[in-house]
Amino acid sequence: DFRYGGIRPQDNPEASLYPLIADHIEKKVAETGKKVVVKGSSGGTINGYAFLMSQTQEWRQKHVMAFVAMSPVFGGTVSSINSVLHGWQVGGGDVGRCIGRSVAIHLPSVLWMWPHPGDGPGEWNKTEVLVQTPIRNYTAYDLDRLLVDVGLPATQLLYALEKNDLLGAFAPPMIDTYAYYGFGSTTAAGYSFKHNFSKETDGPDVCPPAEQTPMSRPWDDGDVTAPRRSCSRAQAWAKPHADAGLVLKNYGYKGQKHSGSCTVPECTKDYNCMMAKLQGKPPPAGCE
């Protein structure tokens, strides 16, 4: 169940998905003699990464041919903060926004995608404001305090479980990896709110006022949904993969939108070349 995010209750047979996936892959590899390709898009990329890193490197190299990430969110997204503070639009108007918000505050996977604090690639440093109110600014280092101020203690507990997971260390998967992301589109770098947060205006039993404004920064373009720093974070694996003779193709395309498939011709060409290679088929025209 994708809603659990990175922390999974492994004692619950209905939730312990990773062992089930590993068992299924092992059976398929044994039956066919062929390794599998693990592919994810958007939030599915961090699910795929977390699954792979929950297995040993020996297991990954034995069973997985490649990891394919489309519109990855390896560093998190600012928009996921907005889903909790303002609402997640699942229908029309304020009704849809408020229903979405009432769901988002209980989903570990939403908190899993909150921006990662740090000074490394794909992270947010202590000077970058993500949420602004008349009396307080919040950076990626202040997100616990943010949840206290809005009066969401249960959501804060979920965030505490999710924030120090595998994406913090972001170790290289050490299998051939192909990532496809977009840049050059206006993407929210944060949100400014007209009111000061409180349990009365923003707690779990109310729908916050619809009065936020997206903020922008020149270096925080992306694919509309996720910023470039997060989508391109796989570049941090370039040296360890190269040293081990493994593939890392981290493709960025101007105008590519946040999607489970390519939305610009250059991406489509590269993706088709990659798939032909993995399937052992003759490459289409124009492939390297």
Side-chain angles (χ1 to χ4, degrees):
D1 190 330
F2 74 93
R3 293 170 295 182
Y4 279 108
I7 307 301
R8 313 194 68 85
Q10 298 294 352
D11 58 341
N12 181 351
E14 296 300 319
S16 56
L17 184 62
Y18 293 170
L20 296 178
I21 294 176
D23 181 66
H24 179 69
I25 289 175
E26 289 168 7
K27 289 177 179 177
K28 284 297 181 182
V29 172
E31 289 173 6
T32 65
K34 298 179 180 179
K35 297 181 182 181
V36 304
V37 174
V38 174
K39 179 187 174 184
S41 60
S42 189
T45 60
I46 56 177
N47 273 292
Y49 173 73
F51 163 69
L52 290 170
M53 301 309 288
S54 73
Q55 310 300 312
T56 65
Q57 183 175 331
E58 180 183 15
W59 187 94
R60 296 194 298 272
Q61 293 176 338
K62 180 178 180 181
H63 296 94
V64 182
M65 178 185 295
F67 175 37
V68 178
M70 182 69 69
S71 299
V73 290
F74 289 137
T77 68
V78 180
S79 58
S80 59
I81 297 179
N82 195 48
S83 296
V84 169
L85 298 184
H86 178 253
W88 181 7
Q89 203 73 44
V90 297
D94 263 1
V95 173
R97 175 180 69 86
C98 296
I99 291 173
R101 199 260 183 166
S102 69
V103 173
I105 63 176
H106 297 296
L107 286 183
S109 57
V110 173
L111 283 303
W112 194 23
M113 285 191 284
W114 276 25
H116 282 262
D119 294 308
E123 297 176 325
W124 278 258
N125 66 41
K126 293 182 178 180
T127 71
E128 296 176 294
V129 175
L130 297 175
V131 177
Q132 185 179 72
T133 71
I135 63 170
R136 181 177 293 276
N137 292 335
Y138 303 86
T139 72
Y141 288 83
D142 305 313
L143 298 180
D144 277 300
R145 172 61 188 267
L146 170 64
L147 291 169
V148 171
D149 289 350
V150 296
L152 295 174
T155 308
Q156 184 188 7
L157 291 176
L158 292 179
Y159 178 59
L161 289 174
E162 297 291 348
K163 66 179 182 178
N164 294 317
D165 75 330
L166 294 164
L167 292 169
F170 204 56
M174 303 308 290
I175 53 174
D176 288 353
T177 298
Y178 301 82
Y180 302 83
Y181 67 91
F183 66 88
S185 297
T186 300
T187 303
Y191 294 91
S192 177
F193 290 79
K194 294 181 180 179
H195 71 284
N196 296 316
F197 295 139
S198 70
K199 183 178 180 180
E200 289 69 35
T201 57
D202 304 274
D205 300 320
V206 299
C207 184
E211 55 179 26
Q212 46 78 288
T213 302
M215 301 188 297
S216 63
R217 282 187 284 263
W219 61 90
D220 257 339
D221 67 311
D223 63 11
V224 178
T225 299
R228 186 199 303 214
R229 72 173 79 185
S230 176
C231 296
S232 64
R233 195 183 183 196
Q235 196 61 34
W237 302 332
K239 188 177 188 307
H241 273 229
D243 290 347
L246 296 168
V247 172
L248 175 68
K249 296 292 187 180
N250 196 31
Y251 295 102
Y253 307 93
K254 187 172 183 179
Q256 164 78 11
K257 302 306 181 191
H258 197 81
S259 174
S261 59
C262 292
T263 64
V264 296
E266 297 88 346
C267 176
T268 301
K269 177 184 77 69
D270 290 337
Y271 184 85
N272 289 340
C273 291
M274 178 270 299
M275 288 301 298
K277 176 182 177 181
L278 295 182
Q279 293 171 350
K281 296 180 179 180
C287 295
E288 296 178 359

